[in-house]
Amino acid sequence: MKNEWPLWEIFIRGQHGLSHRHVGSLHAPDAEMAVKNARDVYTRRNEGVSIWVVEAKHITATAPGDKGPLFEPSESKVYRHPTFYDIPDEVGNM
Amino acid sequence: MVEVDKQALLQFLLRMGDNTLVLGHRVSEWCGHSPVLEEDIALANTALDLIGQTQLWLGYAAEVQGEGKTADDLAFLRDAWDFRNLLLVELPNGDFGRTLMRQFLFDAWHAIILGRLMKSSDTTVAEIAEKASKEVAYHLERSADTVVGLGDGTQESHDRMQAALDYLWPYVGEMFDSDEADEQMVAAGISVNPATLREEYGALVGRVLSEATLTIPESRFAHKGGRTGYMHTEHLGHLLCTMQWLPRAYPGCQW
Amino acid sequence: MYAQLVKTAGTGVKSKEEMTEEERAFQDKIDRDIKIEPRDWMPDDYRATLIRQIGQHAHSEIVGQLPEGNWITRAPTLERKAILLAKVQDEAGHGLYLYCAAETLGVSRDEITEMLLDGRMKYSSIFNYPTLNWADIGAVGWLVDGAAIMNQVPLQRTSYGPYSRAMIRICKEESFHQRQGYDAIRKMAEGTPEQKKMAQDALNRLWFPSLMMFGPSDKDSVHSAQSMAWKIKINTNDELRQKFVDQTVPQIEFLGLDLPDPGIKWNEERGHYDYTDPDWTEFFNVIKGNGPCNVDRLSDRKNAWDDGAWVREGLMEHARKKAAREHAAE
């Protein structure tokens, strides 16, 4: 039987109020140990207030080949960005 | 308030500080040699916490002693008979299983006594305990999980953990031993009678070891002599030879 | 440099005309500084070379724990012990980050570890030298980490995303390593005559092995061009070595130690220090396994791995049992 510990992806909330961010990976036999290992490996310098772990095989990702159809259509929708609109200075901050 | 006997307080502080000093040293011996990187890093964290606690306990001990010494002087320039650590923590690491079993048996006691010391009448003691207890709560969680994982793992890991427990158990009883210095600490409200920790310890250790499918040896026999300094194991001398060599070979240097 | 003699796979740099359409698109991304990510198309030779390079780098971190670890139990103060332990622990962390980067290329950590242990993969020659006195710990942080940082800082811009991100994290953490080393050796250089003797001895012994860390001279580095085109090697060996010498000589002078090489002289015309080249015969000998510590280093790693097998298996088996129990209870 293969005994290599599964790979886990580690997400850490750096400060209160921020989103969790991917910081790296590690190996652990199960989720509880993955959390503990993440604490020891990735928060040695006081980097976190909360940890998420996800076994790497459970992550579903976009395929690199789909980059065009998935992400390029939004490039042309400039009207979603605030800088698209001209507001006269007299109106004040908006 | 009861007048605190300085010698008794010093004994108490050395007992706390020598435990963390000697165990921190033992755990640091693993660095670079653990079964897996994640464990290597975790063990180093434990050792670092213990070294930090040593600086606090022995720093305060040196202050109470009042001879102008430092924590380093106490760590590096005392001989074996002056050490007041439990025999348990000076035992050699053995395999990874024995190291983690020793860690768990110590962590359980350490967590319980620190909980009591947070209410110490001596504010310095209470402050050190407050800081240390957060670190030790994690040590205990981690060592308990590992003892359970290895006890209830493969047949081989189970057998090795049972052997570790059989070897180490006779060194547990010393934790609950007490003498006149302890009585004075109790009277002054600085510490507690070690015997009063036994029940909580028994419940905690019993629960974890049973989850680990391990059997606590029936014999209540306990080796003693560490916390009084009367009779250490042969192992402590070798540990000190290594640890103290530089400052003793080149006295008076700044490092 | 922790990756010294990485053999680049393939037949050398192809011209754009010789490339297939996929290869051209790939090279084009690299030229425009767009990172290559794990699931992107990449040439097999790029993948193979990266696995070798990242693997060698990771192994160097792990084997590199040993010479410094040699002094953890003999550190002369509690603070020095804590600093050294934290530093050697960081090396383990850096090895871990790099193994994870290698894993994104399709080789598991266990596989790549086996390759180290059975001699198929190498680690930096520097770690086959012994640490003999306490000042060596200062010298290793100052010189060895200093040389490593010189190589690692530009590698933060390497073309492979996971490798680049690992390097960024490593460089951030490593910034204290060199400083603690210099601080430690400075205490020795400014200490008693005996301490100063230790510092000089450490510098003399570790100087040339540190210069070797950058790998052989450019004229003998046959594989550099392709790796540079792929941006997995950013500077040439001699460039980095010169930079290291230029940076380090004034630091030696500040310590008041004697220069470890009588050939070190400021060359006004070049605007650099001249220095004596390390003994490359010794270097190739160390790489071949004949350094002072090769056998011991590898057997230490092998023992840790073999003796730890029951622990890894035990904890994995427990996780399986626990999952099965939870499953049955549902």
Side-chain angles (χ1 to χ4, degrees):
Chain A
M1 190 177 288
K2 195 172 170 311
N3 274 307
E4 181 153 13
W5 293 355
L7 186 69
W8 300 77
E9 299 301 334
I10 311 303
F11 302 82
I12 291 183
R13 186 199 299 287
Q15 292 170 36
H16 291 289
L18 295 183
S19 302
H20 285 74
R21 221 180 120 209
H22 184 241
V23 294
S25 337
L26 50 73
H27 288 269
D30 61 22
E32 286 78 22
M33 283 310 291
V35 169
K36 290 200 172 69
N37 289 347
R39 179 264 187 200
D40 280 304
V41 172
Y42 286 106
T43 68
R44 298 200 300 286
R45 286 173 172 77
N46 208 2
E47 292 105 329
V49 295
S50 163
I51 298 172
W52 287 350
V53 300
V54 185
E55 199 177 337
K57 68 175 184 194
H58 293 311
I59 289 186
T60 309
T62 55
D66 293 343
K67 241 182 229 168
L70 282 177
F71 307 120
E72 275 167 30
S74 66
E75 277 174 20
S76 58
K77 299 185 177 56
V78 287
Y79 46 80
R80 283 194 196 275
H81 299 275
T83 46
F84 179 72
Y85 305 94
D86 265 339
I87 304 288
D89 287 346
E90 295 80 358
V91 177
N93 196 21
M94 184 179 280
Chain B
M1 183 166 162
V2 187
E3 183 67 25
V4 181
D5 180 272
K6 214 174 79 174
Q7 282 311 314
L9 177 57
L10 180 60
Q11 285 296 304
F12 164 74
L13 294 171
L14 290 176
R15 284 169 178 172
M16 294 306 292
D18 287 346
N19 277 336
T20 53
L21 171 64
V22 172
L23 186 59
H25 186 91
R26 281 290 186 224
V27 177
S28 78
E29 291 172 8
W30 273 100
C31 187
H33 304 275
S34 307
V36 64
L37 276 176
E38 285 80 355
E39 291 294 341
D40 206 66
I41 293 168
L43 278 178
N45 275 340
T46 301
L48 284 170
D49 287 343
L50 292 171
I51 296 168
Q53 292 168 20
T54 304
Q55 289 173 306
L56 299 174
W57 289 123
L58 293 188
Y60 187 32
E63 192 186 316
V64 168
Q65 192 183 35
E67 295 174 13
K69 290 185 182 157
T70 64
D72 281 335
D73 293 333
L74 292 180
F76 292 93
L77 301 176
R78 280 179 302 150
D79 204 345
W81 55 34
D82 291 324
F83 272 73
R84 294 291 179 268
N85 57 282
L86 299 165
L87 298 179
L88 177 76
V89 297
E90 70 195 45
L91 297 174
N93 286 336
D95 66 9
F96 184 81
R98 194 200 281 177
T99 297
L100 263 291
M101 181 60 82
R102 182 187 61 198
Q103 190 68 38
F104 168 66
L105 294 172
F106 179 77
D107 289 343
W109 172 82
H110 203 196
I112 294 169
I113 191 161
L114 288 173
R116 302 283 205 282
L117 294 180
M118 282 161 67
K119 295 176 220 115
S120 173
S121 63
D122 182 315
T123 50
T124 309
V125 169
E127 279 165 23
I128 298 173
E130 164 101 34
K131 178 177 186 299
S133 71
K134 288 192 195 108
E135 297 167 349
V136 171
Y138 180 75
H139 299 174
L140 175 60
E141 207 183 307
R142 186 156 184 122
S143 62
D145 271 9
T146 311
V147 164
V148 169
L150 291 172
D152 180 37
T154 59
Q155 186 62 48
E156 182 182 5
S157 72
H158 174 86
D159 294 347
R160 282 177 181 263
M161 295 312 279
Q162 186 62 55
L165 180 58
D166 293 347
Y167 176 77
L168 295 170
W169 191 253
Y171 294 93
V172 165
E174 191 185 8
M175 296 171 181
F176 310 104
D177 217 14
S178 60
D179 60 11
E180 203 188 317
D182 293 293
E183 282 165 31
Q184 296 197 35
M185 287 300 97
V186 176
I190 293 175
S191 182
V192 290
N193 179 354
T196 62
L197 309 176
R198 180 135 216 169
E199 199 182 324
E200 193 178 339
Y201 184 85
L204 169 60
V205 167
R207 180 172 54 72
V208 171
L209 292 178
S210 122
E211 206 187 324
T213 70
L214 298 172
T215 311
I216 296 177
E218 274 173 27
S219 169
R220 295 267 281 194
F221 174 76
H223 292 291
K224 287 170 188 175
R227 75 194 297 279
T228 59
Y230 172 67
M231 193 160 71
H232 280 279
T233 66
E234 290 181 344
H235 307 296
L236 181 64
H238 292 279
L239 185 151
L240 297 183
C241 268
T242 308
M243 184 173 86
Q244 300 183 333
W245 168 69
L246 259 184
R248 284 186 181 275
Y250 300 94
C253 289
Q254 295 289 309
W255 304 97
Chain C
M1 172 161 185
Y2 284 170
Q4 277 167 322
L5 258 185
V6 179
K7 191 175 169 302
T8 309
T11 48
V13 188
K14 287 183 186 172
S15 68
K16 290 253 161 155
E17 291 71 40
E18 291 170 300
M19 289 180 184
T20 64
E21 197 180 320
E22 271 172 324
E23 287 170 340
R24 238 190 326 269
F26 172 82
Q27 187 61 49
D28 187 49
K29 266 166 78 175
I30 289 181
D31 293 343
R32 287 189 292 141
D33 283 328
I34 296 173
K35 298 280 182 238
I36 307 301
E37 294 296 340
R39 286 154 52 97
D40 292 345
W41 185 88
M42 61 186 85
D44 291 343
D45 291 340
Y46 175 83
R47 184 186 299 272
T49 308
L50 263 180
I51 289 176
R52 241 176 259 159
Q53 178 170 332
I54 300 174
Q56 194 179 114
H57 195 156
H59 298 327
S60 297
E61 299 280 357
I62 301 309
V63 178
Q65 287 186 274
L66 300 171
E68 288 180 282
N70 182 35
W71 280 90
I72 291 174
T73 56
R74 289 180 290 170
T77 69
L78 292 169
E79 187 179 72
R80 289 285 174 206
K81 196 199 312 230
I83 293 171
L84 181 58
L85 181 55
K87 198 219 155 198
V88 181
Q89 181 199 40
D90 273 351
E91 316 293 358
H94 298 171
L96 187 150
Y97 308 154
L98 288 160
Y99 283 131
C100 289
E103 286 192 75
T104 64
L105 293 160
V107 55
S108 79
R109 193 199 294 174
D110 281 9
E111 283 164 0
I112 210 168
T113 301
E114 303 278 349
M115 288 194 250
L116 167 70
L117 298 181
D118 66 20
R120 274 177 291 162
M121 286 180 91
K122 302 280 182 210
Y123 54 89
S124 176
S125 58
I126 187 71
F127 302 118
N128 290 314
Y129 288 87
T131 52
L132 300 179
N133 80 58
W134 172 250
D136 284 33
I137 294 311
V140 167
W142 169 37
L143 301 174
V144 175
D145 287 75
I149 290 167
M150 202 137 270
N151 171 55
Q152 288 172 176
V153 166
L155 272 179
Q156 294 179 98
R157 292 182 281 117
T158 187
S159 61
Y160 188 57
Y163 191 23
S164 153
R165 291 190 284 275
M167 289 321 306
I168 290 170
R169 194 174 180 94
I170 288 170
C171 285
K172 207 165 101 193
E173 295 186 352
E174 200 128 277
S175 54
F176 99 86
H177 292 183
Q178 195 186 9
R179 296 172 71 110
Q180 67 82 29
Y182 195 69
D183 179 66
I185 201 164
R186 199 177 142 198
K187 271 268 175 4
M188 307 289 285
E190 293 170 357
T192 63
E194 285 152 324
Q195 283 179 302
K196 190 165 180 180
K197 193 173 157 194
M198 289 183 217
Q200 187 69 55
D201 174 54
L203 173 62
N204 292 351
R205 262 184 297 107
L206 287 165
W207 174 256
F208 284 112
S210 298
L211 293 190
M212 292 178 195
M213 289 176 69
F214 298 97
S217 177
D218 292 346
K219 57 184 191 304
D220 302 319
S221 295
V222 278
H223 304 291
S224 287
Q226 177 64 79
S227 284
M228 290 181 90
W230 280 335
K231 292 188 188 164
I232 56 181
K233 185 179 168 82
I234 310 289
N235 304 89
T236 72
N237 297 349
D238 287 335
E239 264 169 37
L240 290 173
R241 193 171 6 251
Q242 181 69 60
K243 201 171 162 204
F244 176 76
V245 172
D246 289 348
Q247 176 188 294
T248 310
V249 170
Q251 295 169 351
I252 298 173
E253 286 166 346
F254 181 85
L255 292 176
L257 295 177
D258 296 332
L259 294 173
D261 162 18
I264 294 178
K265 270 183 207 74
W266 177 253
N267 183 326
E268 193 63 52
E269 201 176 312
R270 290 200 307 127
H272 293 290
Y273 283 96
D274 290 338
Y275 60 93
T276 311
D277 235 15
D279 177 355
W280 294 115
T281 319
E282 175 182 320
F283 170 76
F284 285 107
N285 242 322
V286 174
I287 293 281
K288 260 187 272 169
N290 297 323
C293 302
N294 294 57
V295 174
D296 290 340
R297 298 286 187 249
L298 213 53
S299 84
D300 273 3
R301 285 313 308 156
K302 201 164 154 32
N303 289 342
W305 186 246
D306 293 346
D307 295 348
W310 72 270
V311 176
R312 297 189 299 274
E313 284 158 20
L315 292 175
M316 193 63 233
E317 181 58 19
H318 175 69
R320 282 193 203 104
K321 283 184 183 174
K322 205 167 73 171
R325 280 196 292 263
E326 277 161 17
H327 189 70
E330 271 167 18

